[in-house]
Amino acid sequence: MDANEIKTAVAHQAAARTAAEAPFVNLSDPALVLGPDGRPAVSRRAPIYEDVPDAQWNDWRWQLSHRVNDLEEVGQILNLTEEERVGLSAPDKFRVDITPYFISLIDPDDPDDPIRRQVIPIGSEHEAFTAMMEDSLAEDRHSPVPGLVHRYPDRVLMLVTTQCASYCRYCTRSRIVGDPTQNFNSRDHEAQLEYLRRTPQVRDVLISGGDGLTLAPKLFEKILRGLREIPHIEIIRIGSRVPVFLPQRIDDELCAVLEKYHPLWINLHFNHPNEITPEVSRAVDKLTKAGLPVGNQSVLLAGVNDCVHIQRSLVHKLVANRIRPYYLYQCDLVEGSGHFRTPVGKGLEIMEGLRGHTSGYAVPTYVIDAPGGGGKIPVMPNYLISYSDHKVVLRNYEGYITTYEEPENYRKHDSAACSYCQHERPEPGQSGVLGLLEGERMWIEPKGFEEVHTRGNTEAHRLQDPSKWVPFGVGALEGQAGAPLRVIEAGEIADPEAEAAAAPAPEYGPGEEPRPREGEPTAAAHGELL
Ligand SMILES: *Cc1c(COP(=O)(O)O)cnc(C)c1O
Ligand code: SF4
């Protein structure tokens, strides 16, 4: 070995040692995504904001004080449609306010943009619908003090403000949210805390609103401290859409406050993959590093996310950011949300497309918040009692029975125009498993529900296979003309197809129980008494 070789070997060793000591950088971490300039990736800004200095753009106070809310301002950012102009001009509309960051995520030329639909009003949002209610969850009736909803035995919902960072057109609490004259103040917070001090069965407090994270940081901390001083309160959770509308708000200062009040959980509210931006990834990263388990509650919204492929992409993006999908909510029967409502079958179809097809971590629970105030009810056996062509009957954990009216007009998701459907992720080898999955579809579609367009379209909801309903003349009466009741011999295995072909369709006798036409189910089977 000559001197040069020794020098090279030493240099190699040194390089290897440095490499081993260098901190590992996980380049798959969504919070570390870099832009083309090698700096942290940023979302696009609408052209009118191009000259805003970064320091202002990244300041949550600047974002809040520069929200857009009128026709003229929105019109400078988006090419508005006629119905949006009508919506934005309506004098008695639910509040409009959108952070510059969030409105910049909208494609200005696409009237069906999923973010746009959530925050830009359209004229028809004022249309009333059957079963519409102002306070569809009867929260006001369950409030022992203003803003505190005590519906469940061991936990409460604490509304600390009516203000949000931006306003969602389908908001469940639009009766109070956005209205500064109905806001809760420190005296209300004190009354809420006093109720909790005297109510030892409450072990879990959910801070919501409005959005608690829009409060002045000192005020928010005062509430957290007040709650933590109550010994029987085990967990505190925050329900917030601030990280979606205003990720800039999740700064080190806020996280340092949150950290002091553990165990603290947080549920966010993403509805579409477009909402998960690099800014959001970094905000959520901060929350998880501050030790908060992060969940997500989505609302199923026609024209926004009523598609298995969109939902699948959403939950995958969520878990990649360490956000655990918690609930998928059926849209509430609240004023302003008529055009967002979907049939319950759509939610069931989405659940079919997730469970088993992806990680259990990525699968939320599909719930309907009971109209009239019975709490959240999972849409699954034991709780789903009956399902007719216009009503769903459910029971809550206490046995309380409630009904959910299906929408009268649901504009079906347009797969041909949906890029998520068009780029469907293949699942090789999965189709046709056990004969359950028909044709090329990867999941079981609740039969018929998918086709509901209008109430009264009774065919829509029904199983179309006649052999299902007219196999042996069941329902016809013995001795009735054309109703041969045939006794099946022990051990005989029936062939429904041959039976259907052989047995002429029986008729009704006067005053007799009507029996269905071919292809129709029996009344009892479909709960037409509802
Ligand atoms: C959603 C909600 C809760 C929390 O319910 P979980 O199912 O435990 O998440 C508590 N109180 C009210 C009034 C609610 O609406
Ligand atoms: S963030 Fe929540 S409370 Fe605020 S408008 Fe949206 S749905 Fe309503």
Side-chain angles (χ1 to χ4, degrees):
M1 219 182 218
D2 65 16
N4 260 342
E5 281 174 328
I6 291 172
K7 240 164 89 183
T8 316
V10 169
H12 267 134
Q13 280 174 5
R17 209 167 33 240
T18 315
E21 283 166 6
F24 172 72
V25 179
N26 175 7
L27 294 175
S28 314
D29 184 343
L32 297 175
V33 171
L34 300 181
D37 56 0
R39 296 167 57 203
V42 290
S43 302
R44 125 182 219 293
R45 288 191 203 180
I48 65 161
Y49 301 120
E50 259 161 21
D51 297 330
V52 177
D54 287 354
Q56 289 193 339
W57 183 260
N58 295 327
D59 176 352
W60 62 271
R61 290 182 174 86
W62 183 90
Q63 287 280 342
L64 276 184
S65 59
H66 288 78
R67 286 180 290 181
V68 291
N69 48 42
D70 66 19
L71 178 62
E72 196 190 330
E73 274 180 307
V74 179
Q76 285 171 7
I77 300 165
L78 308 176
N79 293 321
L80 293 174
T81 64
E82 192 43 44
E83 58 174 5
E84 288 173 328
R85 287 180 184 280
V86 175
L88 282 163
S89 318
D92 54 348
K93 63 179 178 299
F94 176 55
R95 178 159 165 189
V96 175
D97 241 336
I98 311 157
T99 56
Y101 157 81
F102 200 64
I103 200 170
S104 293
L105 302 178
I106 297 174
D107 176 347
D109 300 315
D110 178 7
D112 296 325
D113 182 285
I115 290 184
R116 181 174 187 141
R117 290 275 58 82
Q118 294 180 57
V119 291
I120 307 291
I122 54 174
S124 59
E125 77 177 21
H126 280 276
E127 281 169 18
F129 55 86
T130 313
M132 182 177 91
M133 289 175 265
E134 192 195 16
D135 179 10
S136 76
L137 309 180
E139 291 186 331
D140 295 344
R141 248 197 300 128
H142 287 91
S143 296
V145 289
L148 200 87
V149 188
H150 194 173
R151 168 156 25 250
Y152 294 102
D154 70 338
R155 55 207 188 280
V156 297
L157 172 66
M158 183 175 177
L159 307 178
V160 297
T161 175
T162 59
Q163 305 298 294
C164 296
S166 299
Y167 294 90
C168 317
R169 303 323 299 163
Y170 52 84
C171 180
T172 289
R173 297 196 190 100
S174 52
R175 69 186 186 283
I176 51 166
V177 160
D179 184 349
T181 68
Q182 292 208 56
N183 211 352
F184 302 104
N185 57 29
S186 293
R187 220 167 334 122
D188 295 315
H189 299 155
E190 186 43 45
Q192 294 170 343
L193 289 169
E194 185 52 30
Y195 174 84
L196 293 173
R197 284 181 203 115
R198 295 192 211 162
T199 316
Q201 76 260 35
V202 176
R203 44 161 288 284
D204 172 358
V205 176
L206 164 50
I207 302 177
S208 183
D211 199 318
L213 292 184
T214 60
L215 287 178
K218 283 219 160 60
L219 191 52
F220 189 67
E221 178 162 15
K222 202 171 140 203
I223 296 169
L224 288 176
R225 193 180 316 122
L227 288 171
R228 263 293 155 251
E229 281 166 3
I230 304 174
H232 55 263
I233 291 180
E234 294 168 8
I235 64 168
I236 301 172
R237 7 175 191 169
I238 301 170
S240 175
R241 218 180 176 197
V242 157
V244 184
F245 293 137
L246 187 64
Q248 297 80 3
R249 175 69 182 94
I250 310 303
D251 55 13
D252 294 337
E253 189 191 344
L254 176 72
C255 290
V257 169
L258 297 178
E259 261 176 5
K260 291 195 265 173
Y261 299 97
H262 279 311
L264 189 57
W265 295 59
I266 191 164
N267 259 335
L268 312 182
H269 173 177
F270 294 97
N271 293 321
H272 192 278
N274 288 4
E275 294 163 356
I276 306 177
T277 62
E279 288 85 349
V280 161
S281 293
R282 291 192 288 271
V284 170
D285 188 53
K286 281 187 193 295
L287 289 170
T288 56
K289 286 187 173 137
L292 286 87
V294 182
N296 184 62
Q297 322 198 71
S298 294
V299 182
L300 179 51
L301 299 166
V304 174
N305 59 13
D306 54 339
C307 161
V308 179
H309 302 293
I310 292 177
Q311 291 280 350
R312 192 191 316 218
S313 165
L314 173 64
V315 296
H316 286 169
K317 264 181 123 169
L318 289 171
V319 294
N321 282 278
R322 286 175 285 162
I323 307 170
R324 170 77 160 95
Y326 182 59
Y327 284 146
L328 172 64
Y329 283 94
Q330 182 71 5
C331 193
D332 288 327
L333 297 167
V334 68
E335 211 172 321
S337 65
H339 61 290
F340 284 122
R341 298 180 56 229
T342 66
V344 170
K346 178 47 85 171
L348 291 171
E349 182 199 358
I350 288 167
M351 296 311 294
E352 278 282 357
L354 295 178
R355 175 62 69 195
H357 298 273
T358 192
S359 326
Y361 274 135
V363 183
T365 304
Y366 175 38
V367 295
I368 298 183
D369 218 333
K376 292 175 251 297
I377 305 181
V379 189
M380 52 172 72
N382 282 15
Y383 300 96
L384 181 60
I385 296 177
S386 170
Y387 192 162
S388 83
D389 64 347
H390 66 104
K391 257 185 195 171
V392 181
V393 183
L394 304 135
R395 74 145 176 97
N396 79 350
Y397 68 101
E398 300 165 296
Y400 165 90
I401 291 178
T402 186
T403 59
Y404 179 87
E405 281 279 342
E406 291 267 63
E408 292 180 26
N409 294 296
Y410 166 62
R411 190 154 64 115
K412 204 177 151 186
H413 177 67
D414 181 2
S415 293
C418 170
S419 62
Y420 292 83
C421 290
Q422 295 309 308
H423 298 95
E424 181 172 348
R425 213 170 99 133
E427 256 179 60
Q430 293 297 308
S431 60
V433 177
L434 298 175
L436 284 173
L437 308 179
E438 287 174 20
E440 298 300 307
R441 298 311 292 263
M442 295 185 318
W443 62 87
I444 303 168
E445 213 173 282
K447 192 104 187 184
F449 300 155
E450 174 67 351
E451 295 300 329
V452 177
H453 293 292
T454 44
R455 166 150 353 129
N457 176 4
T458 47
E459 293 305 311
H461 218 236
R462 300 182 164 170
L463 294 166
Q464 300 294 316
D465 176 2
S467 69
K468 188 90 188 172
W469 300 107
V470 200
F472 309 115
V474 174
L477 298 177
E478 199 165 6
Q480 197 178 312
L485 260 198
R486 187 161 120 25
V487 178
I488 300 171
E489 300 295 333
E492 182 185 347
I493 296 168
D495 174 355
E497 258 176 46
E499 288 293 341
E507 321 233 299
Y508 318 129
E512 231 88 77
E513 180 82 2
R515 66 178 303 290
R517 276 183 286 122
E518 197 170 74
E520 273 193 344
T522 58
H526 274 271
E528 284 183 343
L529 302 174
L530 302 173

